[in-house]
Amino acid sequence: MKPPLRYYVFLALFTVGATLLASELLVRAYRRMAPSPKVRIYRENPHGTGSYRLKPGLDITTRAAGRRVRIRTNSLGMAWREARVEKPAHVRRIAFAGDSFTFGLWADSVEKSFAGVFDATVAPSGVEVLNFGVPGYGMGDVKLQMEEEILRFAPDDVILVFYTGNDFADTYLGIRKYDVVDGRVKLNDAI
């Protein structure tokens, strides 16, 4: 005798739920075991509304995966070349927003990040690219950053980058998931 349809529906829902739960537990275990970055690149959000930002004016060389990596931020705290808030006339402005992939974490240079490669492709046609990526950001962080910082640059387009790995947890844990301690982020155990 063939089982009823509700049996298969229950089995499918149980399998999906168990997979999501196991993924969440693995991400949480990884976060607890992963060492904090040794570089001090973060600061409290100057607006005091949660989340955190990159420190402005950084120029740090560190090692990752056996190679030298340079992390630079401009005077506005973006991992990008200097930019002005005022949008130049007759220029199309595209803003990238997101997490460490957007930031270009562990790329040899900002020019080799995907935002940098995109910039090199479109700059000859009069397009200005801005990179607002910050490692550890979830969607709540990006929304807050969009409201407080990105929109004042008057971008024509915003490209939102979302990584399906750790960004679910970064979003789920909210904008107060990390405390900034001595330029590093530390998971807020209360969250």
Side-chain angles (χ1 to χ4, degrees):
M1 183 158 97
K2 188 175 179 179
L5 178 62
R6 67 179 176 260
Y7 169 78
Y8 292 107
V9 170
F10 171 78
L11 187 59
L13 290 173
F14 176 79
T15 302
V16 168
T19 302
L20 289 172
L21 177 64
S23 298
E24 177 67 23
L25 293 173
L26 285 171
V27 167
R28 286 183 183 205
Y30 169 77
R31 284 179 175 273
R32 294 207 183 279
M33 293 184 316
S36 298
K38 294 184 192 248
V39 292
R40 294 177 170 95
I41 63 173
Y42 302 105
R43 66 182 172 134
E44 296 286 340
N45 179 347
H47 302 283
T49 53
S51 194
Y52 53 94
R53 301 288 188 262
L54 294 172
K55 287 181 179 178
L58 290 173
D59 192 351
I60 298 170
T61 301
T62 187
R63 296 195 69 73
R67 60 183 170 38
R68 290 171 44 114
V69 175
R70 187 174 183 188
I71 299 173
R72 290 179 292 167
T73 59
N74 64 21
S75 61
L76 300 168
M78 298 162 45
W80 203 241
R81 65 181 161 273
E82 281 302 323
R84 294 178 31 197
V85 175
E86 301 79 27
K87 182 178 162 187
H90 310 294
V91 169
R92 180 177 192 89
R93 188 176 258 184
I94 299 175
F96 280 80
D99 66 352
S100 57
F101 285 98
T102 311
F103 171 82
L105 193 61
W106 307 132
D108 293 342
S109 67
V110 70
E111 294 80 16
K112 291 183 182 178
S113 69
F114 73 83
V117 172
F118 180 82
D119 176 61
T121 304
V122 299
S125 60
V127 176
E128 180 185 33
V129 174
L130 300 174
N131 186 351
F132 291 92
V134 178
Y137 266 20
M139 292 298 98
D141 301 289
V142 172
K143 179 183 180 287
L144 186 63
Q145 183 190 36
M146 182 82 70
E147 294 166 351
E148 294 177 347
E149 295 178 15
I150 297 172
L151 291 179
R152 68 189 181 109
F153 285 80
D156 295 292
D157 300 288
V158 176
I159 298 177
L160 178 61
V161 181
F162 187 78
Y163 173 62
T164 59
N166 61 339
D167 286 357
F168 284 116
D170 290 331
T171 298
Y172 172 75
L173 293 173
I175 62 173
R176 300 192 190 283
K177 66 186 157 289
Y178 292 120
D179 294 321
V180 178
V181 179
D182 193 29
R184 300 179 195 156
V185 290
K186 178 187 174 298
L187 190 59
N188 180 338
D189 290 330
I191 300 296

